[in-house]
Amino acid sequence: MDAPASAVELRQVSRTFGEVRAVDDVSFSVAAGEFFSMLGPSGSGKTTCLRLIAGFEKPDAGPGKILLLEKDATALPPFERDVNTVFQDYALFPHMTVDENVAYGPRMRGVAAGERKRRAGELLELVGLAGYQARKPGELSGGQRQRVALARALINEPKVLLLDEPLGALDLKLREQMQAELKALKRRLGITFIYVTHDQGEALSMSDRVAVFNRGRIEQLDSPSRLYAQPATTFVADFVGGANLIRGALAQKLTGQDGPFALRPERLRLGTKDAVAESQELSMIGKVLEVSYHGASHRYTVSVDGQKLEVAVPSSKEVSARLDEEVTLYVPRTALIAVAERGT
Ligand code: ATP
């Protein structure tokens, strides 16, 4: 028989806690081998979705179904699902050694001690922790603990690995290193990763596809590049990559339509007041309210007809617009993306 093409599928799944619709009629399908992220602000329903997949939560009564490897798993308890979860706080056993932590799953399944040790050694090697077998979690750094948690999940050879903000407790540099390691690990193992994060940069850089959550619903499910280039709603445009939203009078003035339009800060070009627009460029006059330095770019906040627009200028470009100076902003027509209005 062919291997299942879909690793996880949610069909019309809802989960309500009292008055709160944490997950509201959500449907999506994750392909086998995909790196799939659920991205959204705090409280948007990502973790509840992950817990539904793991079986720690049950969907509300109704049509909702959860399929794992194309089989109905809605009623299965967590231990009968071919998934493993890695949590932000690692959830390691503090009194056990690294070795014992990693070998926990096989021990519960009655695998012999020698075989357990051999497998744990292999997994620790895989996550770059060979030689740390005898340590206790308290003797490891945050990044090392997270690697132990990964090894402990992977030793069970799950078809699907669920990761709930697994890098949330790490500092930026370690986060970036672990992001690269997770991606490489996923490529080597070929298993499906479902990743929860509220960090848009993390979701964009790691995933094959990203589901953007807002108030228990998916606003857009797309590849990272499409999410960035073609946001469907004002919420997605703002949450993923921080777009300017052009509405009302300014939108009318520029395009003859009400908008809203999303406009990425790096698509705006900043010139002196009397500079000349290139063909196909729209222009508007504004006043510099703020300038901030971000290493690779300078950010200008420019007020245009009472609306604040963010402009990102690569630091390599010579632009010397000062505070309170009048400037002209140029926009290629194609940079204005029509989006649907959606409350943030
Ligand atoms: P975060 O990034 O903060 O973890 P999230 O997007 O993962 O947020 P969820 O944890 O899924 O969001 O929560 C969605 C909503 O459901 C929130 O309003 C939350 O308060 C509520 N909620 C989640 N779990 C429970 C629970 N066990 N009991 C009551 N309300 C809950």
Side-chain angles (χ1 to χ4, degrees):
M1 212 180 90
D2 287 346
S6 161
V8 173
E9 189 179 345
L10 269 67
R11 287 190 196 155
Q12 292 181 275
V13 171
S14 295
R15 177 69 172 107
T16 313
F17 299 105
E19 299 282 284
V20 179
R21 243 184 156 172
V23 173
D24 187 4
D25 194 22
V26 162
S27 301
F28 62 84
S29 173
V30 180
E34 194 173 12
F35 198 128
F36 184 90
S37 289
M38 299 197 267
L39 171 70
S42 185
S44 57
K46 322 172 291 282
T47 296
T48 305
C49 246
L50 202 75
R51 291 173 57 81
L52 284 158
I53 297 168
F56 302 135
E57 298 285 351
K58 289 264 171 290
D60 293 346
K65 268 198 187 333
I66 295 172
L67 286 81
L68 295 177
L69 308 172
E70 298 178 347
K71 294 210 178 71
D72 191 350
T74 318
L76 284 186
F79 59 88
E80 285 181 26
R81 300 186 181 204
D82 210 349
V83 303
N84 268 90
T85 310
V86 177
F87 300 96
Q88 174 174 351
D89 61 5
Y90 323 130
L92 299 176
F93 302 112
H95 57 286
M96 291 186 189
T97 61
V98 164
D99 213 16
E100 288 163 349
N101 264 287
V102 175
Y104 182 78
R107 182 156 73 97
M108 289 295 109
R109 289 195 304 276
V111 175
E115 174 64 8
R116 287 195 317 249
K117 210 169 173 54
R118 190 187 64 75
R119 287 284 296 143
E122 277 176 15
L123 265 299
L124 284 168
E125 178 127 10
L126 181 76
V127 298
L129 281 183
Y132 286 74
Q133 278 86 339
R135 293 219 196 165
K136 297 265 175 71
E139 297 162 341
L140 300 174
S141 71
Q144 290 167 339
R145 271 181 233 164
Q146 192 52 277
R147 289 196 188 115
V148 176
L150 266 172
R152 189 180 58 172
L154 291 171
I155 200 168
N156 300 317
E157 298 181 1
K159 296 283 190 309
V160 179
L161 189 65
L162 306 177
L163 301 119
D164 192 358
E165 305 251 4
L167 311 181
L170 307 180
D171 66 46
L172 181 66
K173 194 151 168 47
L174 198 50
R175 260 179 105 97
E176 285 173 354
Q177 187 189 330
M178 288 292 292
Q179 285 168 15
E181 284 182 20
L182 275 177
K183 258 170 86 169
L185 200 59
K186 146 87 186 51
R187 269 199 305 271
R188 273 171 72 183
L189 300 172
I191 62 178
T192 310
F193 276 32
I194 303 187
Y195 195 94
V196 162
T197 180
H198 62 262
D199 179 334
Q200 49 101 17
E202 187 161 287
L204 293 185
S205 69
M206 298 173 84
S207 320
D208 295 312
R209 284 189 309 156
V210 180
V212 183
F213 279 71
N214 183 20
R215 299 183 188 163
R217 287 176 166 261
I218 295 180
E219 289 244 349
Q220 189 170 357
L221 200 175
D222 245 320
S223 67
S225 58
R226 279 193 56 88
L227 274 184
Y228 193 79
Q230 293 292 327
T233 67
T234 48
F235 175 83
V236 175
D238 182 44
F239 194 76
V240 181
N244 294 297
L245 296 170
I246 314 270
R247 305 182 163 94
L250 184 57
Q252 269 292 346
K253 198 162 143 186
L254 280 174
T255 65
Q257 292 165 23
D258 279 339
F261 297 97
L263 174 59
R264 297 290 177 198
E266 70 277 11
R267 300 298 308 273
L268 281 154
R269 193 164 68 81
L270 199 142
T272 52
K273 194 168 164 270
D274 47 7
V276 182
E278 287 167 20
S279 63
Q280 298 305 309
E281 272 187 335
L282 304 163
S283 67
M284 47 196 158
I285 291 180
K287 192 165 150 187
V288 178
L289 298 182
E290 253 174 69
V291 186
S292 55
Y293 178 59
H294 296 264
S297 65
H298 280 84
R299 284 242 168 192
Y300 293 82
T301 308
V302 179
S303 164
V304 179
D305 291 354
Q307 190 173 337
K308 286 184 187 172
L309 298 182
E310 294 293 321
V311 185
V313 180
S315 296
S316 55
K317 279 204 174 158
E318 291 281 330
V319 176
S320 61
R322 286 182 300 276
L323 278 187
D324 292 330
E325 194 175 334
E326 282 218 326
V327 289
T328 308
L329 299 179
Y330 299 99
V331 190
R333 285 170 202 278
T334 53
L336 289 165
I337 309 151
V339 288
E341 191 76 66
R342 203 62 57 83
T344 50

